[in-house]
Amino acid sequence: MVVEDEPEIRLVLSTYLEDEGYRVVEAETGEQALSLSLDETPDVVLVDLRLPGIHGLDVVRSLRATSSVPIIVVTAQADSHDVVAGLEAGADDYVTKPFVPKELGARIRAQLRRNASEAGEPQQDIIACGPIVIRPETAEAFKDGEPLALSRTEFKVLQELILAGGRILSRDDLLRRVWGYGNAGDGRVVDNLIYRLRSKLEVDAAEPMHLVTVRGFGYRLKP
Ligand code: CA
């Protein structure tokens, strides 16, 4: 999204970005930018700071309050005050006018890469369900702080059940997610694995407290 009130500059920016393969949404004012951003959910926003109506800095603050979209401010000249204010308002980077298109292109690509790699990072390094804790990055599992000796498949089943957050997973759900089967898989492979997992997780595998069967539906994990 390009937020720029001067038509010539908007045209130059849009033409350059479209040539680079981006789809460009143009906004002439901050008001327009804020309303368009709700429908268009842009991947990156270029904001001119000197706008009629809402100031560019307020556009940056409003966008930042509700979204982690990369924001690049475009300042009129190498005005260090504008640059600092833009970054403090929540912008990720800046370019100064007159800008070199190649430099702008490089900065946009850097922002998109950063956003993509953050989105790909695991959200948490440990996930817990009551006394049961897993560490997905190292495939370790613990109960009451004691490590559980799980096979890779046992770990993956436990992980799916924890990530389900208390919801029931059917045998088919588990087959698809852990074994990668379609719908026609053999549910007994799941039942066997659950039996082994219970023998490691539960005090009494015959009376499970955590990994419970919901008859006719599947399994769920209780804290
Ligand atoms: Ca302007």
Side-chain angles (χ1 to χ4, degrees), residues 3-6 9 48-52 76 97:
V3 191
E4 170 64 69
D5 60 310
E6 287 154 77
I9 298 176
D48 178 34
L49 289 188
R50 305 291 166 94
L51 293 168
K97 289 190 261 186

mmCIF file with all atom_site columns, all heavy atoms in Angstrom, residues 3-6 9 48-52 76 97, ligand 1:
data_model
loop_
_atom_site.group_PDB
_atom_site.id
_atom_site.type_symbol
_atom_site.label_atom_id
_atom_site.label_alt_id
_atom_site.label_comp_id
_atom_site.label_asym_id
_atom_site.label_entity_id
_atom_site.label_seq_id
_atom_site.pdbx_PDB_ins_code
_atom_site.Cartn_x
_atom_site.Cartn_y
_atom_site.Cartn_z
_atom_site.occupancy
_atom_site.B_iso_or_equiv
_atom_site.pdbx_formal_charge
_atom_site.auth_seq_id
_atom_site.auth_comp_id
_atom_site.auth_asym_id
_atom_site.auth_atom_id
_atom_site.pdbx_PDB_model_num
ATOM   1  N  N   . VAL A 1 3  ? 0.830  5.215  0.585  1.00 0.00 ? 3  VAL A N   1
ATOM   2  C  CA  . VAL A 1 3  ? 0.064  6.327  1.138  1.00 0.00 ? 3  VAL A CA  1
ATOM   3  C  C   . VAL A 1 3  ? 0.816  7.606  0.802  1.00 0.00 ? 3  VAL A C   1
ATOM   4  O  O   . VAL A 1 3  ? 1.872  7.891  1.385  1.00 0.00 ? 3  VAL A O   1
ATOM   5  C  CB  . VAL A 1 3  ? -0.104 6.188  2.668  1.00 0.00 ? 3  VAL A CB  1
ATOM   6  C  CG1 . VAL A 1 3  ? -1.115 7.205  3.176  1.00 0.00 ? 3  VAL A CG1 1
ATOM   7  C  CG2 . VAL A 1 3  ? -0.507 4.776  3.056  1.00 0.00 ? 3  VAL A CG2 1
ATOM   8  N  N   . GLU A 1 4  ? 0.301  8.366  -0.137 1.00 0.00 ? 4  GLU A N   1
ATOM   9  C  CA  . GLU A 1 4  ? 1.024  9.529  -0.665 1.00 0.00 ? 4  GLU A CA  1
ATOM   10 C  C   . GLU A 1 4  ? 0.023  10.482 -1.292 1.00 0.00 ? 4  GLU A C   1
ATOM   11 O  O   . GLU A 1 4  ? -0.813 10.058 -2.090 1.00 0.00 ? 4  GLU A O   1
ATOM   12 C  CB  . GLU A 1 4  ? 2.046  9.029  -1.716 1.00 0.00 ? 4  GLU A CB  1
ATOM   13 C  CG  . GLU A 1 4  ? 2.722  10.091 -2.545 1.00 0.00 ? 4  GLU A CG  1
ATOM   14 C  CD  . GLU A 1 4  ? 3.580  11.023 -1.702 1.00 0.00 ? 4  GLU A CD  1
ATOM   15 O  OE1 . GLU A 1 4  ? 4.616  10.573 -1.193 1.00 0.00 ? 4  GLU A OE1 1
ATOM   16 O  OE2 . GLU A 1 4  ? 3.189  12.210 -1.551 1.00 0.00 ? 4  GLU A OE2 1
ATOM   17 N  N   . ASP A 1 5  ? 0.082  11.750 -0.894 1.00 0.00 ? 5  ASP A N   1
ATOM   18 C  CA  . ASP A 1 5  ? -0.906 12.698 -1.418 1.00 0.00 ? 5  ASP A CA  1
ATOM   19 C  C   . ASP A 1 5  ? -0.510 13.304 -2.758 1.00 0.00 ? 5  ASP A C   1
ATOM   20 O  O   . ASP A 1 5  ? -1.372 13.730 -3.512 1.00 0.00 ? 5  ASP A O   1
ATOM   21 C  CB  . ASP A 1 5  ? -1.177 13.814 -0.392 1.00 0.00 ? 5  ASP A CB  1
ATOM   22 C  CG  . ASP A 1 5  ? 0.077  14.591 -0.051 1.00 0.00 ? 5  ASP A CG  1
ATOM   23 O  OD1 . ASP A 1 5  ? 1.105  13.935 0.272  1.00 0.00 ? 5  ASP A OD1 1
ATOM   24 O  OD2 . ASP A 1 5  ? 0.062  15.829 -0.111 1.00 0.00 ? 5  ASP A OD2 1
ATOM   25 N  N   . GLU A 1 6  ? 0.795  13.335 -3.061 1.00 0.00 ? 6  GLU A N   1
ATOM   26 C  CA  . GLU A 1 6  ? 1.197  13.967 -4.320 1.00 0.00 ? 6  GLU A CA  1
ATOM   27 C  C   . GLU A 1 6  ? 1.060  12.971 -5.477 1.00 0.00 ? 6  GLU A C   1
ATOM   28 O  O   . GLU A 1 6  ? 1.721  11.935 -5.482 1.00 0.00 ? 6  GLU A O   1
ATOM   29 C  CB  . GLU A 1 6  ? 2.636  14.468 -4.212 1.00 0.00 ? 6  GLU A CB  1
ATOM   30 C  CG  . GLU A 1 6  ? 2.746  15.704 -3.328 1.00 0.00 ? 6  GLU A CG  1
ATOM   31 C  CD  . GLU A 1 6  ? 4.112  15.852 -2.695 1.00 0.00 ? 6  GLU A CD  1
ATOM   32 O  OE1 . GLU A 1 6  ? 5.038  16.278 -3.401 1.00 0.00 ? 6  GLU A OE1 1
ATOM   33 O  OE2 . GLU A 1 6  ? 4.254  15.499 -1.509 1.00 0.00 ? 6  GLU A OE2 1
ATOM   34 N  N   . ILE A 1 9  ? 4.276  11.624 -7.368 1.00 0.00 ? 9  ILE A N   1
ATOM   35 C  CA  . ILE A 1 9  ? 5.106  10.683 -6.587 1.00 0.00 ? 9  ILE A CA  1
ATOM   36 C  C   . ILE A 1 9  ? 4.389  9.342  -6.431 1.00 0.00 ? 9  ILE A C   1
ATOM   37 O  O   . ILE A 1 9  ? 4.994  8.273  -6.546 1.00 0.00 ? 9  ILE A O   1
ATOM   38 C  CB  . ILE A 1 9  ? 5.458  11.285 -5.205 1.00 0.00 ? 9  ILE A CB  1
ATOM   39 C  CG1 . ILE A 1 9  ? 6.288  12.554 -5.418 1.00 0.00 ? 9  ILE A CG1 1
ATOM   40 C  CG2 . ILE A 1 9  ? 6.218  10.274 -4.352 1.00 0.00 ? 9  ILE A CG2 1
ATOM   41 C  CD1 . ILE A 1 9  ? 6.630  13.292 -4.159 1.00 0.00 ? 9  ILE A CD1 1
ATOM   42 N  N   . ASP A 1 48 ? 3.973  8.289  3.388  1.00 0.00 ? 48 ASP A N   1
ATOM   43 C  CA  . ASP A 1 48 ? 4.520  9.638  3.352  1.00 0.00 ? 48 ASP A CA  1
ATOM   44 C  C   . ASP A 1 48 ? 4.137  10.324 4.655  1.00 0.00 ? 48 ASP A C   1
ATOM   45 O  O   . ASP A 1 48 ? 3.004  10.169 5.123  1.00 0.00 ? 48 ASP A O   1
ATOM   46 C  CB  . ASP A 1 48 ? 3.921  10.382 2.149  1.00 0.00 ? 48 ASP A CB  1
ATOM   47 C  CG  . ASP A 1 48 ? 4.414  11.816 2.072  1.00 0.00 ? 48 ASP A CG  1
ATOM   48 O  OD1 . ASP A 1 48 ? 5.586  12.067 2.438  1.00 0.00 ? 48 ASP A OD1 1
ATOM   49 O  OD2 . ASP A 1 48 ? 3.626  12.684 1.652  1.00 0.00 ? 48 ASP A OD2 1
ATOM   50 N  N   . LEU A 1 49 ? 5.056  11.040 5.270  1.00 0.00 ? 49 LEU A N   1
ATOM   51 C  CA  . LEU A 1 49 ? 4.718  11.652 6.562  1.00 0.00 ? 49 LEU A CA  1
ATOM   52 C  C   . LEU A 1 49 ? 3.915  12.931 6.400  1.00 0.00 ? 49 LEU A C   1
ATOM   53 O  O   . LEU A 1 49 ? 3.059  13.243 7.218  1.00 0.00 ? 49 LEU A O   1
ATOM   54 C  CB  . LEU A 1 49 ? 5.986  11.919 7.379  1.00 0.00 ? 49 LEU A CB  1
ATOM   55 C  CG  . LEU A 1 49 ? 6.683  10.677 7.939  1.00 0.00 ? 49 LEU A CG  1
ATOM   56 C  CD1 . LEU A 1 49 ? 7.810  11.073 8.877  1.00 0.00 ? 49 LEU A CD1 1
ATOM   57 C  CD2 . LEU A 1 49 ? 5.709  9.741  8.658  1.00 0.00 ? 49 LEU A CD2 1
ATOM   58 N  N   . ARG A 1 50 ? 4.204  13.699 5.353  1.00 0.00 ? 50 ARG A N   1
ATOM   59 C  CA  . ARG A 1 50 ? 3.492  14.972 5.178  1.00 0.00 ? 50 ARG A CA  1
ATOM   60 C  C   . ARG A 1 50 ? 2.241  14.746 4.359  1.00 0.00 ? 50 ARG A C   1
ATOM   61 O  O   . ARG A 1 50 ? 2.280  14.722 3.128  1.00 0.00 ? 50 ARG A O   1
ATOM   62 C  CB  . ARG A 1 50 ? 4.406  15.994 4.474  1.00 0.00 ? 50 ARG A CB  1
ATOM   63 C  CG  . ARG A 1 50 ? 5.743  16.222 5.172  1.00 0.00 ? 50 ARG A CG  1
ATOM   64 C  CD  . ARG A 1 50 ? 5.537  16.951 6.510  1.00 0.00 ? 50 ARG A CD  1
ATOM   65 N  NE  . ARG A 1 50 ? 6.751  16.881 7.328  1.00 0.00 ? 50 ARG A NE  1
ATOM   66 C  CZ  . ARG A 1 50 ? 7.701  17.810 7.370  1.00 0.00 ? 50 ARG A CZ  1
ATOM   67 N  NH1 . ARG A 1 50 ? 7.597  18.869 6.598  1.00 0.00 ? 50 ARG A NH1 1
ATOM   68 N  NH2 . ARG A 1 50 ? 8.748  17.661 8.139  1.00 0.00 ? 50 ARG A NH2 1
ATOM   69 N  N   . LEU A 1 51 ? 1.156  14.525 5.066  1.00 0.00 ? 51 LEU A N   1
ATOM   70 C  CA  . LEU A 1 51 ? -0.126 14.259 4.420  1.00 0.00 ? 51 LEU A CA  1
ATOM   71 C  C   . LEU A 1 51 ? -1.127 15.313 4.866  1.00 0.00 ? 51 LEU A C   1
ATOM   72 O  O   . LEU A 1 51 ? -1.042 15.810 5.988  1.00 0.00 ? 51 LEU A O   1
ATOM   73 C  CB  . LEU A 1 51 ? -0.653 12.875 4.843  1.00 0.00 ? 51 LEU A CB  1
ATOM   74 C  CG  . LEU A 1 51 ? 0.118  11.646 4.383  1.00 0.00 ? 51 LEU A CG  1
ATOM   75 C  CD1 . LEU A 1 51 ? -0.371 10.419 5.138  1.00 0.00 ? 51 LEU A CD1 1
ATOM   76 C  CD2 . LEU A 1 51 ? -0.044 11.434 2.882  1.00 0.00 ? 51 LEU A CD2 1
ATOM   77 N  N   . PRO A 1 52 ? -2.093 15.660 4.004  1.00 0.00 ? 52 PRO A N   1
ATOM   78 C  CA  . PRO A 1 52 ? -3.193 16.517 4.471  1.00 0.00 ? 52 PRO A CA  1
ATOM   79 C  C   . PRO A 1 52 ? -4.081 15.706 5.409  1.00 0.00 ? 52 PRO A C   1
ATOM   80 O  O   . PRO A 1 52 ? -4.083 14.486 5.328  1.00 0.00 ? 52 PRO A O   1
ATOM   81 C  CB  . PRO A 1 52 ? -3.939 16.851 3.169  1.00 0.00 ? 52 PRO A CB  1
ATOM   82 C  CG  . PRO A 1 52 ? -3.659 15.696 2.269  1.00 0.00 ? 52 PRO A CG  1
ATOM   83 C  CD  . PRO A 1 52 ? -2.288 15.186 2.626  1.00 0.00 ? 52 PRO A CD  1
ATOM   84 N  N   . ALA A 1 76 ? 10.272 13.701 3.400  1.00 0.00 ? 76 ALA A N   1
ATOM   85 C  CA  . ALA A 1 76 ? 10.474 14.663 2.318  1.00 0.00 ? 76 ALA A CA  1
ATOM   86 C  C   . ALA A 1 76 ? 11.953 14.867 1.993  1.00 0.00 ? 76 ALA A C   1
ATOM   87 O  O   . ALA A 1 76 ? 12.331 14.881 0.842  1.00 0.00 ? 76 ALA A O   1
ATOM   88 C  CB  . ALA A 1 76 ? 9.825  15.986 2.665  1.00 0.00 ? 76 ALA A CB  1
ATOM   89 N  N   . LYS A 1 97 ? 12.998 11.104 0.207  1.00 0.00 ? 97 LYS A N   1
ATOM   90 C  CA  . LYS A 1 97 ? 12.776 11.590 -1.151 1.00 0.00 ? 97 LYS A CA  1
ATOM   91 C  C   . LYS A 1 97 ? 13.853 12.614 -1.481 1.00 0.00 ? 97 LYS A C   1
ATOM   92 O  O   . LYS A 1 97 ? 14.203 13.406 -0.610 1.00 0.00 ? 97 LYS A O   1
ATOM   93 C  CB  . LYS A 1 97 ? 11.392 12.262 -1.261 1.00 0.00 ? 97 LYS A CB  1
ATOM   94 C  CG  . LYS A 1 97 ? 10.245 11.277 -1.198 1.00 0.00 ? 97 LYS A CG  1
ATOM   95 C  CD  . LYS A 1 97 ? 8.931  11.953 -1.554 1.00 0.00 ? 97 LYS A CD  1
ATOM   96 C  CE  . LYS A 1 97 ? 8.148  12.323 -0.309 1.00 0.00 ? 97 LYS A CE  1
ATOM   97 N  NZ  . LYS A 1 97 ? 6.802  12.853 -0.572 1.00 0.00 ? 97 LYS A NZ  1
HETATM 98 CA CA  . CA  B 2 .  ? 3.184  14.692 1.045  1.00 0.00 ? 1  CA  B CA  1
#
